[in-house]
Amino acid sequence: MLPQEFKDRMKLMLGNEYPAFLQSFEEPAYQALRVNPLKGTKEDFLNKAPFSLTPVPWEKNGFYYGNGDSPGKHPYHAAGAYYMQEPSAMVPAAYLNAQPGERVLDLCAAPGGKSTQTAASMQGQGLLVCNEIHPARAKILSENIERMGIRCAIVTNESPQKLAEVFVEYFDRIMVDAPCSGEGMFRKNETACEEWSLENVKLCAERQDGILECAASMLRAGGRIVYSTCTFAPEENEGTISRFIKKHPEFSITECRRLEGMSAGVPEWTDEPADGLKRTIRLFPHKLHGEGHFAAVLEKQDGLQNGCCTAGMEKGIREKEVSEYTDFVRQFLRTDLSGILVRFKDQLYLAPEQTPALKGLKVLRPGLHLGTLKKNRMEPGHALALALGPDEAVYSHDLPGDGEKIRAYLNGQTFYAEGEKGWYLVSVDGYSCGWGKLTGSIMKNHYPKGLRL
């Protein structure tokens, strides 16, 4: 049941389009996934995938899947071959257009759809800081970053205000997928519908103003912010952008190509509209195959070209201080892992080379988890397995995706195998999914207990 005040406002906004908009809530929501190019090519995935897939127009790696498909239960999902994501939610990161080697911040990142999409755009190169203020959601974010095999990401659990104290005009691009009233998700999320109120819309708009203020101070001159919400409320969309632009004349709204079905922002829906509001983008469920969304691309003309991290840069430790790691690399890997070695007690991580000093920040994931240091050896981490390709390991063992053996492995079972003893990268149809350790003819299972089927 849609709230009456919501329907009254949408009727005023949409006029003759309102009946079609209302009818869209009676239709099933579209479902999509996004292929992970860090794990293999899109073409290779399409040749393997046992799903009915059609392209999402605004994301080159995005595909709608059929109602009869269950990609969340397939072994490819556990291997991070794709991320299941609402199709309209793929729009903001596509317009962020992050490039390899850049410094990028996803300020409100959980559960990780836009972060993982951004990492793919960066080709895993550069620095991606993924932040989430709520601890439980930050944990889910970190798990998704790990599953998708991302090497260049740091996951933090901080407020935007705390990050703004540390990073001064530091980032090339910032994603602000702001917490909102969630009107665009009413078709998929009954809770959002039940919790909606005009008072909450106002509270969300005030919160969004504060988050954008922090983002503005962390962006370098010439940099880009993409602001997005999954709501229809003008107060949180055109209104938020207008208030921001009027306060920050160093920013302008950038023109972006709108694809078929996308609508322009409407200046008349807010008081004192800023220049360029028609360059913002609205997505309505009665006009395209996706839920409600809003996006604005903001570019900063004035400020510092090269900002700083007030805490300095992470120095890390030297390789000779962790011989357990170098021994593992020499014996079991065929690749050089570049980055900064960071140790927390017995846990070893590989941080991106541009990593700022992490002291004083709540950090859930300070880079790629390499493994646990034990007496005279290192036990490799699950994250490392997911970040490697089978050709990067000395020993690997591939299992077919349509067989019982891979499901037994994901359930924690051992299996028979032949080969040299040692650590094996276990994969499913070429997608790495975990470690096994061959002893004699038994492959001992090192798939994490918490992830088992």
Side-chain angles (χ1 to χ4, degrees):
M1 295 291 291
L2 296 174
Q4 187 60 48
E5 288 177 304
F6 167 75
K7 291 194 290 185
D8 292 343
R9 190 199 68 209
M10 295 307 299
K11 188 173 184 179
L12 285 173
M13 287 170 60
L14 295 176
N16 294 335
E17 291 184 27
Y18 178 70
F21 172 78
L22 200 61
Q23 177 60 35
S24 71
F25 287 85
E26 304 299 322
E27 299 167 359
Y30 287 88
Q31 305 174 99
L33 59 81
R34 182 171 37 75
V35 179
N36 182 7
L38 300 178
K39 300 283 285 192
T41 67
K42 175 176 65 177
E43 292 72 22
D44 184 51
F45 175 81
L46 293 175
N47 287 331
K48 297 174 181 177
F51 313 127
S52 175
L53 301 174
T54 54
V56 172
W58 43 83
E59 166 51 48
K60 62 182 179 181
N61 293 308
F63 294 89
Y64 298 101
Y65 61 85
N67 291 331
D69 294 323
S70 300
K73 298 179 180 180
H74 198 278
Y76 290 177
H77 183 263
Y82 50 80
Y83 188 101
M84 296 167 63
Q85 188 176 15
E86 196 283 307
S88 293
M90 300 179 190
V91 166
Y95 285 119
L96 188 67
N97 194 28
Q99 298 298 305
E102 290 185 328
R103 297 190 294 213
V104 182
L105 170 65
D106 189 349
L107 191 50
C108 316
K114 294 173 179 65
S115 284
T116 56
Q117 187 179 356
T118 298
S121 180
M122 297 169 69
Q123 300 174 28
Q125 302 170 34
L127 172 67
L128 175 59
V129 178
C130 311
N131 182 69
E132 173 57 44
I133 192 171
H134 299 289
R137 286 171 55 81
K139 183 179 178 182
I140 294 170
L141 166 65
S142 185
E143 291 168 352
N144 280 322
I145 293 292
E146 175 176 293
R147 183 174 61 84
M148 299 297 278
I150 296 168
R151 302 186 187 188
C152 66
I154 294 169
V155 178
T156 58
N157 172 213
E158 286 290 0
S159 68
Q161 291 77 14
K162 178 58 182 288
L163 291 182
E165 293 174 5
V166 175
F167 299 107
V168 179
E169 299 192 68
Y170 183 79
F171 293 101
D172 299 296
R173 298 175 198 254
I174 300 177
M175 171 68 69
V176 180
D177 185 41
C180 68
S181 56
E183 297 173 2
M185 294 293 114
F186 281 178
R187 182 163 64 169
K188 295 186 68 176
N189 188 340
E190 289 186 12
T191 302
C193 193
E194 293 167 358
E195 294 178 349
W196 182 91
S197 68
L198 291 176
E199 292 76 15
N200 189 43
V201 169
K202 183 178 180 180
L203 286 172
C204 287
E206 292 173 355
R207 186 185 303 125
Q208 291 153 5
D209 290 347
I211 293 172
L212 267 179
E213 281 296 310
C214 294
S217 71
M218 290 188 280
L219 187 73
R220 70 165 177 83
R224 168 177 290 196
I225 291 174
V226 171
Y227 171 84
S228 67
T229 70
C230 57
T231 190
F232 302 112
E235 193 168 358
E236 302 178 67
N237 294 333
E238 288 92 345
T240 296
I241 295 302
S242 290
R243 293 189 297 275
F244 177 77
I245 292 293
K246 287 181 179 295
K247 192 171 181 180
H248 291 276
E250 73 273 21
F251 279 86
S252 62
I253 305 171
T254 299
E255 184 76 63
C256 291
R257 187 169 73 97
R258 291 194 300 274
L259 301 179
E260 183 178 356
M262 294 182 179
S263 303
V266 181
E268 292 77 19
W269 287 348
T270 187
D271 297 332
E272 300 183 29
D275 292 339
L277 272 188
K278 288 185 177 180
R279 299 177 193 141
T280 64
I281 297 168
R282 276 186 171 269
L283 281 69
F284 289 102
H286 65 292
K287 291 188 172 184
L288 43 69
H289 296 167
E291 304 306 303
H293 232 80
F294 173 87
V297 180
L298 309 171
E299 295 198 347
K300 187 176 185 179
Q301 281 76 45
D302 298 322
L304 298 176
Q305 282 285 349
N306 296 297
C308 68
C309 171
T310 57
M313 303 303 291
E314 188 67 42
K315 293 182 173 63
I317 61 175
R318 294 172 293 181
E319 283 193 359
K320 67 180 184 180
E321 297 178 53
V322 278
S323 58
E324 305 93 331
Y325 164 69
T326 54
D327 288 345
F328 178 87
V329 171
R330 186 179 64 255
Q331 291 181 65
F332 300 114
L333 297 188
R334 299 182 188 274
T335 185
D336 293 324
L337 299 174
S338 61
I340 301 168
L341 290 173
V342 180
R343 181 172 182 172
F344 289 87
K345 296 183 179 179
D346 61 349
Q347 302 302 313
L348 187 65
Y349 293 83
L350 188 72
E353 291 180 347
Q354 302 182 55
T355 297
L358 302 175
K359 187 177 181 181
L361 292 175
K362 296 176 186 175
V363 180
L364 272 69
R365 176 190 165 100
L368 175 65
H369 182 223
L370 296 172
T372 302
L373 301 173
K374 301 194 173 183
K375 188 176 180 179
N376 299 322
R377 65 187 178 90
M378 185 184 85
E379 186 168 296
H382 185 59
L384 176 60
L386 292 168
L388 295 172
D391 59 337
E392 295 180 292
V394 172
Y395 305 127
S396 61
H397 191 97
D398 194 53
L399 301 172
D402 57 357
E404 291 300 318
K405 212 169 184 180
I406 181 61
R407 297 188 181 277
Y409 171 76
L410 296 175
N411 196 32
Q413 298 178 31
T414 61
F415 57 87
Y416 290 101
E418 295 181 355
E420 299 290 331
K421 68 177 183 179
W423 289 100
Y424 280 69
L425 188 63
V426 180
S427 59
V428 51
D429 292 339
Y431 298 120
S432 57
C433 57
W435 292 108
K437 193 173 186 181
L438 189 60
T439 304
S441 59
I442 300 296
M443 186 73 76
K444 293 184 178 179
N445 196 310
H446 283 263
Y447 195 72
K449 291 181 180 179
L451 299 178
R452 292 176 183 177
L453 298 178

